[in-house]
Amino acid sequence: MLLPYLAIALLLLATLYSAVVSFSGQKGRVASRIFPQAPGRFSRILVGSLSLALLIGAALWMASGSSNSTRRPSRFLIPDGYTGWVRVEFEVPGAGPLPIEGGQYVIKIPPNGILQTSSPEQYGWAKDHYDYDSAHGLHTLPDSGSDQRIWAKLNAEESGASGKRKYEEFFVGTQQQFKTQASEERDSK
């Protein structure tokens, strides 16, 4: 996600540098192929102004884009011991909105693994948290590393008789359980 911004910043830096070097207004400058005669004062001012406008415009664009690339994080509360697919369906008429606690959405998954909400789907980067919810409290489910329990997270949209439905889906379980489930689904098709 950061790589495109770095590429744009490097391009802008190279453009600004070449404008400064090319139009520094040195006396006795040798003519180039692009400018057979040394550029005059007007040309230097014009290129310098355009380069500065380009730099400011790109900085504003990147600043506005970076603020939109984040979203509110979510805390998924999954029934203790649950394994299988979890699905959160967004913008479902008649369903309740997702509650917000401590600056994050609290998504309490029912025992069947499917939650419907009237809240819109959020896009962008955030660090979500996954917990088994039991009578004894919360137990964190790692979403990476050797003890990973969250697999194949995706956001998608499907069309059906009730119209378009946006959803988020992921698998809860061990790597072996995930592979077995994926294999069974592939064989049933």
Side-chain angles (χ1 to χ4, degrees):
M1 186 84 174
L2 185 61
L3 192 58
Y5 292 115
L6 290 176
I8 291 168
L10 182 60
L11 178 64
L12 291 173
L13 184 62
T15 302
L16 184 61
Y17 174 77
S18 63
V20 169
V21 170
S22 298
F23 300 103
S24 61
Q26 300 169 353
K27 297 289 182 194
R29 195 184 112 131
V30 177
S32 70
R33 290 184 185 171
I34 296 174
F35 297 103
Q37 299 174 351
R41 179 176 168 82
F42 176 75
S43 297
R44 290 192 310 267
I45 291 173
L46 179 65
V47 170
S49 299
L50 290 175
S51 296
L52 185 60
L54 178 67
L55 184 64
I56 291 171
L60 290 173
W61 175 70
M62 288 191 312
S64 70
S66 66
S67 65
N68 294 333
S69 65
T70 60
R71 63 175 173 82
R72 184 181 304 273
S74 299
R75 176 168 298 279
F76 293 90
L77 303 178
I78 302 162
D80 192 29
Y82 179 88
T83 59
W85 288 100
V86 168
R87 182 176 175 126
V88 179
E89 297 179 349
F90 297 96
E91 299 176 15
V92 177
L98 293 174
I100 299 172
E101 292 178 12
Q104 58 188 357
Y105 287 112
V106 177
I107 304 175
K108 189 168 177 67
I109 305 299
N112 70 356
I114 300 171
L115 176 75
Q116 295 183 328
T117 179
S118 61
S119 298
E121 185 174 18
Q122 300 288 308
Y123 297 100
W125 187 90
K127 176 67 175 147
D128 293 332
H129 303 276
Y130 307 87
D131 296 307
Y132 269 145
D133 187 13
S134 72
H136 305 292
L138 301 177
H139 172 70
T140 300
L141 291 167
D143 59 349
S144 63
S146 61
D147 292 332
Q148 182 173 342
R149 294 295 183 266
I150 306 298
W151 304 92
K153 185 170 180 175
L154 64 96
N155 295 60
E157 183 177 300
E158 67 183 8
S159 296
S162 60
K164 289 186 178 180
R165 178 74 41 93
K166 294 179 181 182
Y167 65 93
E168 181 172 329
E169 205 170 58
F170 56 90
F171 186 84
V172 178
T174 65
Q175 183 176 19
Q176 186 57 49
Q177 289 169 325
F178 171 62
K179 287 180 178 181
T180 301
Q181 181 74 27
S183 174
E184 289 172 2
E185 288 177 6
R186 192 174 36 250
D187 293 343
S188 70
K189 290 183 180 181

